[in-house]
Structure formats: structure tokens, C-alpha cells
Amino acid sequence: MDLTAWLLRLTPPRPFVVATPGGTGARVAVERVVRERGWQPAASPAEGNILVVAGPVSDDLRPAVEQVWSLFPRPCARADIDSASAAPARLAAAADALGDPDRQRRPRAAHPHHDRRGAEPPMADRARDRDGLMLDRLHVPLGPVLPDWPAGLVVRTALQGDVIQDATVTTTGLGHARQVSPWDSPTGFVARRLDSCARLLSVVGWPDASATARRLRDDVLRSDVLRGDRRARTATALARWAGRVRRSRTLRWSLAGVGRTPPVPSTPPELGGDAWDRVGSWLDSAVRTFDRPGSAAGLDRAPETRWALEALPTLLDGNELACARILVASLDPDLDTLARREAPHG
């Protein structure tokens, strides 16, 4: 065994997981397998070595996916997973490719449909700030290929310093989304709330609480969760975790005042207040609804998603870029709900 092969055998998989519209079920399955195998997810291509794309990759999304793939340093591998059932085998194959010295020595082949025209690197110009001074302005796109980011969402920001002076919101890939969702079950509403909490906690930098939320989400989605002792154990674990999150002063300090929505009748009740208020609402509804399975089944999230997309530019204006991902995660629009109802937003 040569040195390269020996080092590759010692290289732990670090998956960088991104989702596309229609890929929610695949993403949830990927996150479960990653947790069960003890792999540590990566927050960026620079620290990752497996790109995991959960969901179908449409022509309009492919340039962004390929741009991210080009940023991965060697050794690296890629797993395109378009269904939940494919997750274990595809991830295992990617891990094998990561540890294969022959594959790692080969030149990285470009995707046959690779096209960099859709890539959006940051660009700069000059514009007047709010005091009338001419200052540099940097254009920074967020999405659509980011971890813990709404699948298909693109936010284009114009920054002066680290403050967002202008933001536009579009969507991509919705026309190809398949409407197979893990949330379509008696416990799907609870699982969806836990998923939203997990993504926000990950973005804000509390990985332990985020991992627990994902484990509870997966437990809630088990077919036998509502029977016997398992239901009682899950309810106890859910309540204990929710109490821990509510008591976190650091989390409250991080979220209070972020993304405060207008207190008007048109604001959906689920999206009222600031990011801290929304987390509290998610926790309360998850605990309450688990005690009454099926009570929230069939709820249509399309109206609140449409509202969030329309409100995001105003909510983001004047915020620091560091708050942008927290703000988006606290609204957590589910763009898959729009795929059957309307053409892509924007």
C-alpha cells in the first residue's frame, strides 16, 4: 500500500449536503444516513470532501451545482441522490470513491452538461449610500446551492460594507420538482417543524441541538412512533429538547430582533414576530401537535411561503449579511409547495 492509499483510508467522509426542489425526502434520508454513520457534515466546499446533491438537478440549477463541485479540493467524491431509497447505496459508493487512490488520481471529468454561464460570482460597482456618499457596492448571491437553505431559493444582495442595501428574490428549478414529501403523514407536521428548527439551529451555530432536532424528526417519521412505549419516549425526548432550546439565553440573544415581521393582519400567524418568536412557535406547535397526531395533517404551507418570498426583500434591507441566512432560516419557506400551483416566483 502506497502513502496516498494509506492516507485516503484514514480520510473521514465530510459530506456537504445541498437540496434541490423536489429533494426533501432525499435530503432527510441523507441526513439520517450521515448521522447513523457518524460522519461530520461540512459547512463549505473547502472543508468537505463529498458533494451530496439531494433531489433532481434541472438544467437551470446545473450551472450552480457544477460551480460548487468545482470548488472541492482533492480528495473528493460526489453523490447525486434523487430519492430517499437511493441514499444508503449512493453515499456508500461515494465513500468508496473517496478512498480509492486510482479514482482520486484521475482528472476530474466535467459534467456533460456543464455550463458556467449560470454561475454568479460576487461583482462590485459604486453607488450612493443612504447619506449620499459614493461607496463601493458588492453584489453577493445567496443560493441556490447552500446547506440548510430553502431548495430553489436565490437571494441576490447588494452590499455596502457588510450591510444589505438591496435584495431581490427569485426561485429556480421549481418546474422540475417532484412532490414526494416526508411531511405527508400523520406526524408530518411535527417532523416539518423539527426540520425547520434543525436548519435554523445549524445556521446559528448550535450543531448539538440541531443534531438532536434531526434525530427527533427521524424518530417522529417512523411508522411505529404512535404505538406503545415508543410514543411516550419520543414525547418525553421532544419536550425535554424543546425546553432546553427555550432556556438558551445565547440563542435568544442571537435571534431576538432578527427579521421582525410587520404586525398587520396580512402577516401569517406562523411568521409573526422576530426569529426568536418563530422558534418558540415551532417548538410549541411541535410539542402540542405530537400529542394530537393528524390534527395538522394536510395544512397548506403555500400561502405562508408566497408571503415570505414577497416579504424577504424588505425584511433583508438594512440587515448585516451575517443575519441574512438566519433571517431566511427563521422563515424557512417551503418552495416545493409552490411547484404544483404556480410558475417560478420572480
Side-chain angles (χ1 to χ4, degrees):
M1 180 185 298
D2 62 21
L3 179 60
T4 298
W6 180 75
L7 289 172
L8 287 173
R9 285 186 59 187
L10 298 178
T11 300
R14 294 292 308 274
F16 180 78
V17 182
V18 297
T20 68
T24 300
R27 172 181 63 81
V28 169
V30 164
E31 292 171 352
R32 183 181 66 251
V33 174
V34 166
R35 185 188 72 252
E36 291 173 348
R37 295 188 177 182
W39 295 354
Q40 182 67 33
S44 70
E47 67 179 40
N49 53 28
I50 299 179
L51 171 61
V52 182
V53 183
V57 180
S58 60
D59 289 340
D60 46 352
L61 270 173
R62 186 167 287 112
V65 172
E66 296 301 325
Q67 183 191 23
V68 170
W69 173 229
S70 71
L71 298 176
F72 273 70
R74 291 294 185 104
C76 62
R78 176 169 166 176
D80 290 83
I81 301 172
D82 58 3
S83 67
S85 60
R90 298 278 176 86
L91 288 172
D96 290 342
L98 181 66
D100 187 332
D102 292 333
R103 293 191 189 184
Q104 295 304 322
R105 290 187 179 110
R106 295 173 193 163
R108 186 182 307 184
H111 193 281
H113 301 291
H114 180 49
D115 183 354
R116 293 297 297 273
R117 288 176 296 176
E120 297 185 70
M123 300 179 64
D125 62 11
R126 292 177 67 82
R128 295 188 183 278
D129 71 354
R130 299 181 182 187
D131 296 321
L133 302 175
M134 290 296 294
L135 299 175
D136 291 336
R137 184 167 66 169
L138 185 66
H139 298 271
V140 178
L142 299 174
V145 185
L146 284 172
D148 299 311
W149 180 261
L153 179 66
V154 182
V155 177
R156 297 179 176 86
T157 65
L159 305 177
Q160 287 185 319
D162 60 354
V163 177
I164 298 173
Q165 299 293 339
D166 184 60
T168 59
V169 173
T170 59
T171 61
T172 184
L174 299 194
H176 303 274
R178 294 198 296 270
Q179 294 299 294
V180 178
S181 173
W183 318 139
D184 297 332
S185 69
T187 56
F189 177 84
V190 179
R192 177 71 179 88
R193 289 306 192 208
L194 289 168
D195 188 68
S196 295
C197 288
R199 285 147 69 87
L200 177 57
L201 291 169
S202 177
V203 169
V204 85
W206 195 0
D208 178 56
S210 175
T212 302
R214 287 190 167 99
R215 178 180 57 77
L216 287 168
R217 174 201 65 193
D218 296 340
D219 288 346
V220 164
L221 288 172
R222 287 175 59 111
S223 59
D224 61 348
V225 71
L226 298 179
R227 296 198 298 269
D229 293 340
R230 179 171 294 278
R231 176 174 180 173
R233 291 196 302 269
T234 302
T236 299
L238 174 58
R240 183 182 298 118
W241 169 82
R244 178 188 175 200
V245 173
R246 287 192 188 97
R247 290 190 299 270
S248 173
R249 295 183 180 181
T250 301
L251 183 65
R252 180 168 189 160
W253 175 83
S254 301
L255 300 181
V258 175
R260 187 176 298 280
T261 56
V264 296
S266 59
T267 300
E270 300 84 357
L271 303 181
D274 57 17
W276 175 250
D277 295 323
R278 290 189 283 277
V279 168
S281 175
W282 293 343
L283 296 173
D284 291 343
S285 60
V287 172
R288 182 176 63 252
T289 305
F290 187 73
D291 290 333
R292 296 182 292 115
S295 61
L299 288 181
D300 184 5
R301 298 196 70 237
E304 66 182 67
T305 294
R306 282 193 292 265
W307 186 93
L309 295 182
E310 293 171 359
L312 262 176
T314 301
L315 294 175
L316 288 167
D317 188 30
N319 276 279
E320 295 181 357
L321 183 63
C323 292
R325 290 200 64 188
I326 297 175
L327 195 159
V328 171
S330 76
L331 297 174
D332 199 19
D334 185 357
L335 274 66
D336 282 1
T337 62
L338 305 183
R340 287 183 177 178
R341 293 173 170 82
E342 57 191 49
H345 181 84

